[in-house]
């Protein structure tokens, strides 16, 4: 069975394409999923790709993915507020890469704080849809370093 990477997306990311394209670009979430799936598949990884605007659902999905090869997490606005997501990341073994399409540090000051970053393996932001592909690449490299990664 191939190792699995999970990509979890938070609130309003289902609106990509129509949502503030000057900030987030024109790509839809379906397009980002297709790119990430191709990138993971080329490297022998399966991909689970999900979006929810509900904090508790994201917590449940983090737990479900807790023993996978890794998790790419764009928690959207919950990045800046959620102790529940912070604790969920702490509660699992899988490495988590925090991603953002936009460069959050070049935006409003409330976006400069991340509840996820202190417990993430790393953070990638500001590269638009490429942020996701770079995060998958990082987890593939980590999985390789761990002799094929974990399953599940
Ligand atoms: C975002 C940045 C967040 O500040 C914002 O709330 C989002 C999207 C990004 O991908 O750039 O919803 O996570």
């Amino acid at each position: 069975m191939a190792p699995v990477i999970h990509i979890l997306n938070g609130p309003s990311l289902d609106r990509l394409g129509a949502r503030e394209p000057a900030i987030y670009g024109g790509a839809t979430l379906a397009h980002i999923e297709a790119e990430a799936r191709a990138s993971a598949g080329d490297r022998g990884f399966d991909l689970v790709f999900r979006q929810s605007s509900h904090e508790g659902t994201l917590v449940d999905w983090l737990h479900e993915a807790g023993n996978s090869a890794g998790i790419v997490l764009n928690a959207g606005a919950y990045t800046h507020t959620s102790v529940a997501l912070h604790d969920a990341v702490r509660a699992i073994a899988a490495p988590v890469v925090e991603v953002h399409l936009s460069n959050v540090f070049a935006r409003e000051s409330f976006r400069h704080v991340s509840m996820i970053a202190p417990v993430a393996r790393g953070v990638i932001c500001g590269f638009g849809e490429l942020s996701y592909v770079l995060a998958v690449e990082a987890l593939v490299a980590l999985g390789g370093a761990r002799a094929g990664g974990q399953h599940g």
Side-chain angles (χ1 to χ4, degrees):
M1 207 176 80
V4 181
I5 290 172
H6 292 249
I7 300 186
L8 304 181
N9 295 281
S12 301
L13 291 166
D14 52 334
R15 302 289 304 145
L16 287 178
R19 178 190 179 194
E20 299 188 87
I23 294 174
Y24 297 118
T28 62
L29 198 59
H31 177 82
I32 290 171
E33 174 176 358
E35 281 191 330
R37 197 171 287 289
S39 175
D42 285 351
R43 316 295 286 277
F45 285 69
D46 284 342
L47 190 77
V48 174
F49 192 98
R50 293 166 138 177
Q51 186 276 332
S52 174
S53 294
H54 302 274
E55 190 175 19
T57 301
L58 294 165
V59 169
D60 289 343
W61 288 349
L62 282 165
H63 293 170
E64 267 179 41
N67 289 313
S68 66
I71 301 167
V72 176
L73 176 61
N74 185 350
Y78 290 138
T79 304
H80 315 299
T81 62
S82 179
V83 176
L85 290 179
H86 172 102
D87 282 351
V89 171
R90 290 175 77 129
I92 61 176
V96 173
V97 179
E98 174 183 336
V99 302
H100 301 285
L101 295 146
S102 63
N103 179 355
V104 288
F105 299 103
R107 301 181 62 194
E108 305 97 320
S109 59
F110 65 82
R111 296 184 205 275
H112 299 177
V113 174
S114 171
M115 303 299 287
I116 312 295
V119 289
R121 183 67 176 72
V123 181
I124 297 170
C125 78
F127 296 98
E129 61 198 91
L130 184 58
S131 291
Y132 283 78
V133 173
L134 293 171
V136 167
E137 292 289 322
L139 288 174
V140 166
L142 282 180
R146 294 187 304 167
Q150 297 171 27
H151 295 245

